[in-house]
Structures are given as C-alpha cells and as structure tokens.
Amino acid sequence: MILDSIKNEVKTYPAYLTGEWQASNSQETIAIKSPWKHEVIGNVQAVTQSEVDESIEAAKAAQHSWAKLSLGDRGQYLNRWADELEKTKDDIATSVMNEVGKNFNSAEGEVQRTIDLIRYTVQEALHMHGESVRGDGFPGGSKDKLGIIERVPLGVVLAISPFNYPVNLAASKIAPALMAGNAVIFKPATQGSISGIKMIQALDRAGFPKGILSLVTGHGSEIGDYLTENPDINMISFTGSTKTGEHLSQKSIMTPLVLELGGKDPAIVCEDADLNITANNIIKGAYSYSGQRCTAVKRVLVADKVADKLVARLKTQVENLSVGSPVNDSTIVPLIDDKAANFVQGLIDDALAKGATLVTGNKRDGNLLQPTLLDNVTEDMDIAWVEPFGPVLPIIRVHSVDQAVEIANKSRFGLQASVFTQDIDKALEIAGAVEVGTVQVNGRPQRGPDNFPFLGVKASGMGTQGVHNSILSMSREKLTVINLKP
Ligand code: NAP
C-alpha cells in the first residue's frame, strides 16, 4: 500500500504496524532526501509512542505461537521472504541507490547478500542443536542427574540498523531473531527507511503471522529511547555509531544488548609487504562507497622504508578512482548529507593546518568530496584517531612494527586491522598483539563472509554477530534436569 501525495509524485510510505500497512496517527511524516539527487524521494511515517506500544503488544502475542512452530515451518516463511526479495531485487537496489547513494552494483550486491544470508540463516538454525550433560562430572555429583540444555527464544527483539547497509544490516538481525523464535520490532535508520520498507513489503508478501514483525519509522532521537527503555523489549541488536551505541547501553538497563559500532581500522604495512597487493587492498578498503563503511581502512601505519613507494602507488590509484553519481557506478559518491561532508572536511583542514602533506584530493562540491590522501599524519591530528566515514585516508609513517602496534592499540576503537607482510610468523605476532575483533592478513578489513563471527572490541562493540552467533545471542539456554531413580 502506498499513500500517494497529491501535490507531487513523491510517495508517502506507510509504516507496518501489527501486521497492517498504515499511516501513523501522528499525521506527521519525515521527508527522505536523496544525497545525490538532492530532492525528496519519499516520505515515511513518524510513528507515535502509543503505536510503538501497540506493536510491542502484538509482537508479544504473536511470538508465543511463532515459537511453537517447528524450525522447519519457520524456515519456510523465511525462505519465502528470500524468494520475494529475489523477485524485487532491482527495485530494492534502486531504492538503496537513491536513498543512501550507493552505486547500483553495490546496492544490488547488498540485496543479493541479504537473500543469501536469509537462506543461510534458515539452514544454520535447522542444523543447530542442544546438548545434554550428566551430573557426575562435578565432585559429589551423580550420574542420576541428566541435564537437557535447549535454546529458547528471548521474546521480542528490537533491531536497530544504520543508514549505510539499510537492507543487509537489518536482515542480519531480523532473520536470526525470527529463526530463533522471537518477534521483532524493526527500527530502520531514518535515511534508509524506504529501503527497509521495501524489504518488509517482501516479508509481508511471504505471509508471516500478523504482529510477528512491526516496522516503526521515526527519528531515533524521538522514539529511540522510548523503544530502548521499554520493559517488554527482551533483547536489542544495534548497529550504528559508537555515540548512539554508548547512549543505548546506558538506557537499556538489564536488557541483553549486542552492539556493532564504529571503527578506525588500521592497515599495518611491514617492510616486506607485497606493495601491489597492499595498495590494491588499501584503495578498495578505504574508498569504496566513499569510505562510509564501518570496516573501511581508516589509517595506514606504514614502515618508513617502504612508505614512499606505497604512497606513490596509492596516489596513482586514488587519482584513477571514479568520482560522481552512483548511477554511473562511481566509487566515490556524495556523502550521506552535508553535515557528514563538513565533518570530513574539518578533519582534513585540521590535519593540513597541523602539517600533514596533501598527496591528492581535498576538493569539494557540496557533499561530494574528492578522494583525499594525507601523508605524514602525526598523533596530534584528529584524523589519526577519529572515524571520518568519508573518502579520506591518513598515512602515519612508523619506524618499527612495535610502534605500529602501539599506535594501532592507542585507538579507542577495535573493530578490525589488516596486516600486510610476506612473513607469516610476523603476521601472527602482530595479529596476536592488536586489540581488535578481527585481523585480516594480506587483505582488507571486511564484514563477512557472513558465516564468520563479526565483532568489535573496545568502543567498536559488544557481543558477536555472524549468522551462528546472532542466533545464539537471540536465544538463551534453558536447562531441564531429569532426576533419574529419584
Ligand atoms: P547512528 O547515527 O548511530 O544511527 C544508527 C541507528 O540508531 C539509526 O537507526 C538511528 O535512527 C538510531 N538511533 C539514533 N538515536 C537513537 C536513540 N536514542 N535510540 C535508539 N536508536 C537511535 O549511525 P549511522 O550514521 O546510521 O551509521 C554510521 C555508523 O555506524 C558509523 O559509525 C559506522 O562505523 C557504524 N557502523 C558499524 C557497523 C558495524 O558492524 N560495526 C556497520 C555499519 C555501520 P535515526 O536514523 O532515525 O537517527
């Protein structure tokens, strides 16, 4: 159902509350502006607190019978959802492109990855099983106690996703939550909610029971705390900035929380690195989707001896990156909004004022920033520590591996790190020393494949995602003890 605005062709999208597509009683909508078309591409509902309450009530009611279904039956619903997504893949990808400015190939890749993730989640859940334990393993225990350990759902899961992967990072919460037997309240990023709505239209067409998922659109600053503090939310799975994640963790007292937050992923380049492999990975890692990725390479820590050679290679490649519109499949696209572009520009200006060398870039047209490479970045510059979420890469020259590790670990973030070396012993030594969730040896940081665990430490997150781990975090153990020969 689409409520067409009378004034122009811009569509007003309903929210999906308690299994019905409806306009909010608030009678307020939020205009979604395309970051590259620079025009309003749709309006979404500003859902009210009482509608949030109704959605949670409906979710609680629907969850009981949902959890009683067999895993196989729940899996059939999810597979139908994947089928429906497949049928509308291009339309959803176009929405992603228009709404968050990702080039079409990447947007289509995101939707395909989501379809694959849903189907994989079904298979993973079907193959997970509980365990049993006898009491005689503990001193004084008895073989006559048999513990049966099963996993049971938590209840209602709140899924909050960020703008940069509006489909995939939503489905990677929704699919495991549903397979584990939970109901879901889905709060998409406001910029990204049209893509989220289209994804849920596909879920609706798959015929899920009413109320098992509600989609509440509205600014996080207005309904976010209300959702997070709600006592009937039994688990929160959040991906977004560290600032919002920290805020959530203060609000969500005693509610299990998984947080995937910001990063400042270093690429540590040793003297013996293959510089072609290194440069290719750094360029793709740092600049794809204008660097608006949690696992983008956000600093390079390079050994002095090879720094000149690496910078020369990077410069050539940066200058060859395509810049412009996402419809032309550009790598460098306009940032999500002017505020984001101003923020990145501020970091570049600060670094240059403090003596960084501009290798290339630092040109701007509104929210479209040319890819920028900064050399001789030092620890007094903000760009050495802050996540820019834009197309700028700082090079920090180091005199030893120890210094690289020290600077890597001084960061408050700990998402991923890359190590480029041809010496596997050195790679493993560095991998052991850096305080991050994942180390990539001779490859760029990245989330996935989605069967891998994905986690950040320090200010980069709490808990682990990846399909298997998400199912675990959205369920809990339940122990039943059979007392034999009582
Ligand atoms: P954000 O501003 O923190 O927003 C994330 C989500 O939180 C949005 O849905 C937002 O809604 C919502 N929100 C805002 N205030 C809230 C509140 N008080 N209570 C509940 N929800 C609230 O992040 P973003 O700009 O969308 O995404 C970029 C950030 O995400 C970057 O830092 C990036 O590194 C990180 N990220 C991390 C990962 C990872 O897996 N580690 C992956 C992707 C992105 P509104 O849009 O309505 O404000």
Side-chain angles (χ1 to χ4, degrees), residues 161 163 187 189-190 220 224-225 238-241 244 261 294 387 454:
S161 52
F163 81 83
K187 152 76 187 92
T190 297
D225 289 355
F238 172 85
T239 304
S241 64
T244 312
L261 309 176
C294 58
E387 177 185 47
F454 180 66

Side-chain angles (χ1 to χ4, degrees), residues 21-205:
W21 292 101
Q22 43 186 283
S24 169
N25 290 330
S26 71
Q27 300 189 327
E28 279 176 32
T29 55
I30 302 166
I32 307 295
K33 200 172 159 191
S34 167
W36 59 280
K37 292 181 160 188
H38 303 294
E39 62 187 31
V40 174
I41 53 168
N43 299 296
V44 298
Q45 305 297 315
V47 165
T48 64
Q49 294 185 350
S50 63
E51 286 161 341
V52 165
D53 288 340
E54 287 159 22
S55 300
I56 294 175
E57 274 311 307
K60 277 166 61 182
Q63 190 264 330
H64 293 292
S65 32
W66 177 250
K68 281 187 190 144
L69 290 180
S70 72
L71 268 175
D73 286 348
R74 292 206 292 269
Q76 281 187 19
Y77 281 101
L78 273 92
N79 281 331
R80 281 205 296 274
W81 179 25
D83 295 344
E84 290 298 326
L85 285 171
E86 193 127 47
K87 287 181 202 160
T88 45
K89 191 162 86 175
D90 281 3
D91 180 46
I92 299 176
T94 304
S95 260
V96 172
M97 179 179 73
N98 288 340
E99 194 174 14
V100 303
K102 188 174 288 188
N103 70 45
F104 186 77
N105 282 344
S106 306
E108 201 177 37
E110 177 178 341
V111 183
Q112 183 58 52
R113 178 179 181 179
T114 303
I115 295 164
D116 295 340
L117 179 136
I118 293 169
R119 292 189 177 133
Y120 185 91
T121 303
V122 171
Q123 287 305 315
E124 183 69 18
L126 290 177
H127 291 92
M128 284 168 75
H129 50 78
E131 50 186 25
S132 64
V133 59
R134 292 268 180 182
D136 59 339
F138 194 81
S142 157
K143 237 185 172 46
D144 294 343
K145 280 191 183 295
L146 173 64
I148 302 168
I149 304 157
E150 296 172 285
R151 293 206 79 86
V152 296
L154 298 178
V156 181
V157 169
L158 171 61
I160 307 179
S161 52
F163 81 83
N164 61 340
Y165 288 87
V167 172
N168 187 259
L169 285 178
S172 63
K173 303 174 190 334
I174 295 169
L178 291 174
M179 275 314 285
N182 301 286
V184 176
I185 302 295
F186 167 37
K187 152 76 187 92
T190 297
Q191 190 79 34
S193 44
I194 295 178
S195 309
I197 287 168
K198 293 203 166 176
M199 179 180 68
I200 298 307
Q201 285 171 341
L203 180 141
D204 182 42
R205 288 195 299 275

